[in-house]
Structures are given as structure tokens and as C-alpha cells.
Amino acid sequence: MGGRLEHNHTNDDAADILAIQTAIDMGVTHFDTAEVYAAGYAEELLGRAIKKYNRSKLFITSKAKPINFKHDDLINSCKQSLQRVGTDYFDLYLLHHYSASIPLAETIGALDELVRQGLIRNIGVSNFTKEHLADTQNLTKNKIVCDQVHLSLEFREPEVTGLLKYCQNNDVFLVAWRPTGKGKLAKDAPPIVQEMCKRYQKTPTQIAINWLISQDHVVTLSKTTNIAHLKENLGAIGWEMAIEDIELLQKEYPNQKDVSDTVKLG
Ligand SMILES: NC(=O)c1ccc[n+]([C@@H]2O[C@H](COP(=O)([O-])OP(=O)(O)OC[C@H]3O[C@@H](n4cnc5c(N)ncnc54)[C@H](OP(=O)(O)O)[C@@H]3O)[C@@H](O)[C@H]2O)c1
């Protein structure tokens, strides 16, 4: 929302704010943003949208970009993100990507300091391999609660690398980004998904999201500015597919990929 890596000055801010507020009114509590999204403008939009709501009922996540992983830079980054969102704390704060150029121990020390100061309540990582996730857990006094990574019916890297199993075995949430393949899964549903749509009387997007959250320790993030899509996507929860169907989709969904052909920065 608000642009990709730069602020898009032609963005329809009112539509984004309305979508966030409608989501809250419909019971959504978790909002995911990052300092890199629209160069901080996405955080500002979120801040404007949540102003009239009770902050304590929301769960807000933001992320720091690797260039800010030195100790003092990370503390400053977090404070600036908090200011843009207009809140005193983040429920969850993530390292957006692994960085090989700044010692992980220094960055984790800063995250622990942010927890100590009460500016963040939980820490996590994003786009980390299972090895980097394990290293991170060994360096912090706190718990690494999640790894936010690309996972969908179509994109299976975390299954193939064992990251998903690692998360399930170590009580870490895998937060799946791009659950609908940016809307693509709604348009080109293969026969196996169409069959599930008929069986459960759901849309392809609802099947794609439900399939993710039916898995142990998997939650997901879905982005939309379109209120009809918001309602559709919320219809992905509150019901369950049979285990055989979950497994069938896992095995038989066609053209599964485990290497990203999209831009890495999310
Ligand atoms: N950590 C990372 O590196 C990273 C990377 C990417 C994303 N993320 C996070 O994950 C969130 C979701 O990921 P994403 O935006 O890449 O993927 P996504 O939620 O799969 O796709 C969003 C796109 O799909 C469209 N869409 C949503 N619901 C739809 C529906 N029911 N029917 C048709 N089209 C639909 C949206 O358009 P409309 O707005 O028109 O509905 C939007 O263009 C992001 O907002 C971000 O918070 C994190």
C-alpha cells in the first residue's frame, strides 16, 4: 500500500485506509508492514487508518531492512517506524532479510535491547533459511517467534528446504507471504483446485488460503485494497478441508516451484 519501494504519489490513499478500516471492522487484527514498503509511507497509511481504533486490540508487525542492521541504526529504524505508525510499540518486529555483512550477534543484541525498552514485544525474522533461523535463536535471550517467508500452493521452497518442518518442530510460526500469488491463483485455478472449490463451495483464493492455514504452525498475510476481495479472503477461515484433500493439494498441485522467479525484496 502506498507504493512499492518508493512512495507512489498517485496512490489512492483513501482506498487503502478504507480497506484497512473495513478489515478491522470485520475482525482482522494483524497488520504487516515494513520500513521499506513505499519508503515508509505504508507505515504512515497504517497509522492514519488505525488512529480511531483501540491500539491494544491490534497486532502490528513491522520490519527493518538489512542496511539498518547495525546496533544503533536498528534502534533508530524501529523508533522511526513507530513514529510513522503512531504507536508506542510493535507487537512483532522482524529482520526483513538475512544480512551476511553485519554480524548477526550485533543485530540480535539490538533486537533484545528493543524488547528490554518495551518498544517491541516479540522478535522474528523474514526470508531466513532454517540454518540462519537456528543461529538467530541461539543468539537471543528472547524467543524467535516466526520466520516470514514465501509459501503458497504454487511456491514450495520452505517445504523443500525443510524450513517448514523446522518451524513445526521448534514452535516457530511460519508466516506465509504471497498466499494468492498476487491474485494469480484466483485467475488460473488448475482442475485440482476447481474440484476443491466444488467440494467445499469456496473460491480458488479461499482454497489457497485455507490450505496454508490448515498446516501446523502456518499463518498467512493477504494484501488487498479491494473490499470484495477482502470479504472473499476472510471467507477462507472458519472451516476445514479434509486431511486427504489438504494432502492431495500438497502433492498434486501442478507446476510447483521451489526457486523464486520474483523480486526478492517484499
Ligand atoms: N517478508 C517479505 O519479504 C514479504 C514479501 C512479500 C509480501 N510480504 C507481505 O505479505 C503480504 C501479502 O503478500 P503479497 O501482497 O505479495 O501477495 P498476495 O496477498 O498473494 O497478493 C496481493 C495481490 O493479490 C490481489 N488479491 C488479493 N486477494 C484477491 C482475490 N481474492 N482475488 C483476486 N486478487 C486478489 C491484490 O489485489 P487487490 O488489492 O486489488 O485485491 C494484490 O494485488 C504483503 O502485503 C506484505 O505484508 C512480505
Side-chain angles (χ1 to χ4, degrees), residues 200 202 206 209-211 213-214 231-241:
Y200 294 98
K202 303 290 173 191
Q206 291 171 336
I209 294 175
N210 189 281
W211 176 80
I213 61 173
S214 68
K231 288 182 182 158
E232 179 185 349
N233 298 358
L234 285 172
I237 60 178
W239 55 278
E240 285 175 14
M241 277 191 274

Side-chain angles (χ1 to χ4, degrees), residues 4-227:
R4 265 195 55 73
L5 299 180
E6 294 297 328
H7 176 183
N8 171 6
H9 292 272
T10 66
N11 183 63
D12 187 348
D13 292 355
D16 284 350
I17 289 170
L18 179 67
I20 295 169
Q21 293 179 335
T22 308
I24 298 173
D25 294 342
M26 293 183 74
V28 172
T29 52
H30 180 195
F31 291 89
D32 178 83
T33 186
E35 64 175 348
V36 80
Y37 296 165
Y41 194 64
E43 291 177 324
E44 282 182 38
L45 282 174
L46 179 62
R48 280 159 59 190
I50 64 170
K51 223 176 204 149
K52 64 174 185 174
Y53 292 91
N54 180 345
R55 167 67 182 95
S56 68
K57 303 272 188 222
L58 302 175
F59 188 98
I60 300 179
T61 301
S62 194
K63 320 183 193 77
K65 58 183 173 186
I67 200 162
N68 292 328
F69 282 3
K70 286 196 166 167
H71 184 279
D72 293 355
D73 294 342
L74 193 75
I75 305 279
N76 284 335
S77 253
C78 181
K79 286 182 176 167
Q80 283 171 25
S81 287
L82 287 168
Q83 204 167 23
R84 284 190 291 266
V85 178
T87 183
D88 297 335
Y89 66 93
F90 286 124
D91 298 276
L92 177 60
Y93 195 57
L94 310 182
L95 302 179
H96 206 146
H97 291 264
Y98 179 76
S99 166
S101 48
I102 296 166
L104 194 54
E106 175 175 350
T107 311
I108 301 306
L111 284 176
D112 285 343
E113 176 61 21
L114 286 166
V115 173
R116 205 190 57 73
Q117 290 184 21
L119 298 178
I120 64 175
R121 296 201 169 162
N122 293 283
I123 63 182
V125 295
S126 176
N127 302 305
F128 273 38
T129 62
K130 69 174 192 297
E131 291 77 16
H132 291 147
L133 173 59
D135 289 348
T136 311
Q137 187 62 80
N138 288 333
L139 288 167
T140 172
K141 312 190 255 301
N142 293 292
K143 183 171 168 49
I144 302 296
V145 300
C146 73
D147 193 354
Q148 187 184 118
V149 296
H150 193 180
L151 176 66
S152 69
L153 270 176
E154 186 183 52
F155 188 82
R156 301 294 185 84
E157 189 180 68
E159 265 178 30
V160 176
T161 61
L163 175 69
L164 174 58
K165 255 289 153 273
Y166 180 90
C167 288
Q168 291 167 334
N169 291 339
N170 290 278
D171 190 27
V172 175
F173 280 103
L174 188 151
V175 183
W177 56 259
R178 199 146 299 164
T180 74
K182 278 201 167 287
K184 177 175 170 272
L185 302 190
K187 286 186 214 117
D188 305 323
I192 189 169
V193 171
Q194 289 173 26
E195 195 184 311
M196 298 299 164
C197 291
K198 271 199 214 112
R199 189 164 304 161
Y200 294 98
Q201 292 296 297
K202 303 290 173 191
T203 68
T205 303
Q206 291 171 336
I207 297 289
I209 294 175
N210 189 281
W211 176 80
L212 281 168
I213 61 173
S214 68
Q215 299 178 56
D216 182 29
H217 277 81
V218 178
V219 296
T220 191
L221 305 163
S222 152
K223 181 266 161 188
T224 183
T225 302
N226 176 312
I227 306 295

